[in-house]
Amino acid sequence: MDKKILTVQDISCVGQCSLTVALPIISACGIETAILPSAVLSTHTGGFTGWTFRDLTDDIPGIVDHWEKENISFDAIYTGYLGSVRQIDLVKNMFARLSAPGCLKIVDPAMADNGKLYYGFDQVFAHTMGSLCGVADIVLPNITEAAMMTDSPYIGEGYDEHYIRMLMDKVLALGAKTVVITGVCYEPHKLGIAILSRGDKEITYYYHERLPKSCHGTGDIFASAFTGAMVRGKTPLEAARVAGNFTLAGMKATSEGHWYGTQFEKAIPVLLEELSK
Ligand code: PXL
């Protein structure tokens, strides 16, 4: 049977993040993508001011009840930006009620970057997100998110492999089966994606070129392509290659001065090529 993915995250109407990224990317992977919007914002919250925010939490239980009545279930559930602690609890309930046998649960704890929580989040939210990671198969934090969920110090630069291993062990101790940390940098011109599963002796890395710039929304692009690749049958290391190379291609395709997002649309051919390898 053909597989289908449910992704739960917000719609930022403008801004190239969350659902406006996940839906086209997973669809481009050739997989049916159902969506459950957690909120509707006029834009994302990074760099814009005065955005609107419509919380859709109250709509979620009715949507899940309806799908359950219709016997709808999913081969993978991938969650991104969630707006509140209550939404996180509703997602845990969804994992229990909407998973097809063998459902792959992927959590991107999209809540922080560069040592700081996104607007509107606090430590209670970070801990609750940690508890959601505890029931996931694969979690995809950046270094900031891994540190915040595990009450670890955040080190922005100059860390070593022991620090990354400590963070990964602590994320696995939350209960997740596999942790994939993006943006690991031990050398100036290389960026690593670190993968560790419970029982692994050593971290596995996929390295790619490091660009001298950052773009908004790259975490969502990576997580969406990673999820699509996993459901297409890739291993976590292969999915890291697909998603890492695609994200990098999107950053390279982004015009100078395009400040609020990443023009991943121009790099979709790279995604398809990576998937075919
Ligand atoms: O890219 C993550 C993200 C998703 N959704 C909203 C955001 C952000 C990051 O800033 O603000 C609303």
Side-chain angles (χ1 to χ4, degrees):
M1 258 240 292
D2 291 330
K3 301 208 163 169
K4 60 179 178 297
I5 295 177
L6 169 65
T7 182
V8 189
Q9 43 191 315
D10 70 282
I11 297 177
S12 288
C13 299
V14 168
Q16 288 165 311
C17 72
S18 39
L19 277 182
T20 65
V21 163
L23 186 49
I25 291 176
I26 301 171
S27 297
C29 292
I31 300 158
E32 179 183 344
T33 315
I35 61 166
L36 209 173
S38 55
V40 178
L41 294 84
S42 50
T43 65
H44 61 65
T45 67
F48 291 99
T49 53
W51 60 84
T52 68
F53 186 104
R54 167 81 57 198
D55 184 356
L56 297 181
T57 307
D58 288 341
D59 291 10
I60 293 175
I63 292 172
V64 174
D65 286 350
H66 181 216
W67 287 346
E68 200 176 38
K69 244 189 238 144
E70 296 288 337
N71 287 318
I72 293 169
S73 62
F74 301 96
D75 303 290
I77 301 178
Y78 149 47
T79 71
Y81 181 103
L82 299 171
S84 64
V85 163
R86 198 175 141 222
Q87 278 187 0
I88 296 176
D89 290 334
L90 286 168
V91 166
K92 285 186 197 159
N93 177 271
M94 249 176 256
F95 280 172
R97 292 168 61 194
L98 298 176
S99 292
C103 175
L104 188 65
K105 300 174 210 72
I106 299 183
V107 172
D108 175 4
M111 62 180 176
D113 206 359
N114 298 315
K116 281 206 310 236
L117 285 163
Y118 295 151
Y119 181 91
F121 294 147
D122 58 15
Q123 206 49 41
V124 172
F125 183 88
H127 284 148
T128 313
M129 188 57 96
S131 74
L132 180 63
C133 287
V135 294
D137 295 302
I138 304 183
V139 299
L140 305 171
N142 57 34
I143 292 174
T144 305
E145 290 155 349
M148 289 193 168
M149 289 190 299
T150 60
D151 291 320
S152 308
Y154 168 72
I155 303 177
E157 262 174 49
Y159 49 78
D160 59 12
E161 183 162 18
H162 288 109
Y163 174 69
I164 297 299
R165 178 72 200 233
M166 179 274 292
L167 287 181
M168 296 181 96
D169 282 337
K170 282 193 173 178
V171 174
L172 291 180
L174 294 173
K177 295 197 184 105
T178 298
V179 55
V180 178
I181 296 196
T182 51
V184 177
C185 183
Y186 300 130
E187 292 173 43
H189 304 296
K190 266 169 66 181
L191 212 52
I193 299 158
I195 305 164
L196 188 72
S197 296
R198 254 190 264 161
D200 283 354
K201 261 217 180 100
E202 296 197 355
I203 300 175
T204 304
Y205 290 94
Y206 178 73
Y207 284 102
H208 59 74
E209 177 190 352
R210 181 180 187 224
L211 299 180
K213 66 169 178 179
S214 64
C215 294
H216 195 274
T218 49
D220 298 346
I221 295 168
F222 179 87
S224 302
F226 183 92
T227 301
M230 286 298 300
V231 173
R232 284 278 298 261
K234 304 288 188 199
T235 64
L237 179 59
E238 289 167 339
R241 171 184 53 77
V242 169
N245 290 354
F246 171 53
T247 305
L248 183 73
M251 288 176 72
K252 284 184 175 170
T254 300
S255 302
E256 222 174 290
H258 184 84
W259 61 273
Y260 59 77
T262 306
Q263 293 172 315
F264 68 93
E265 302 88 348
K266 296 191 225 168
I268 293 280
V270 175
L271 173 63
L272 304 185
E273 194 187 311
E274 289 289 337
L275 279 171
S276 71
K277 282 185 192 163

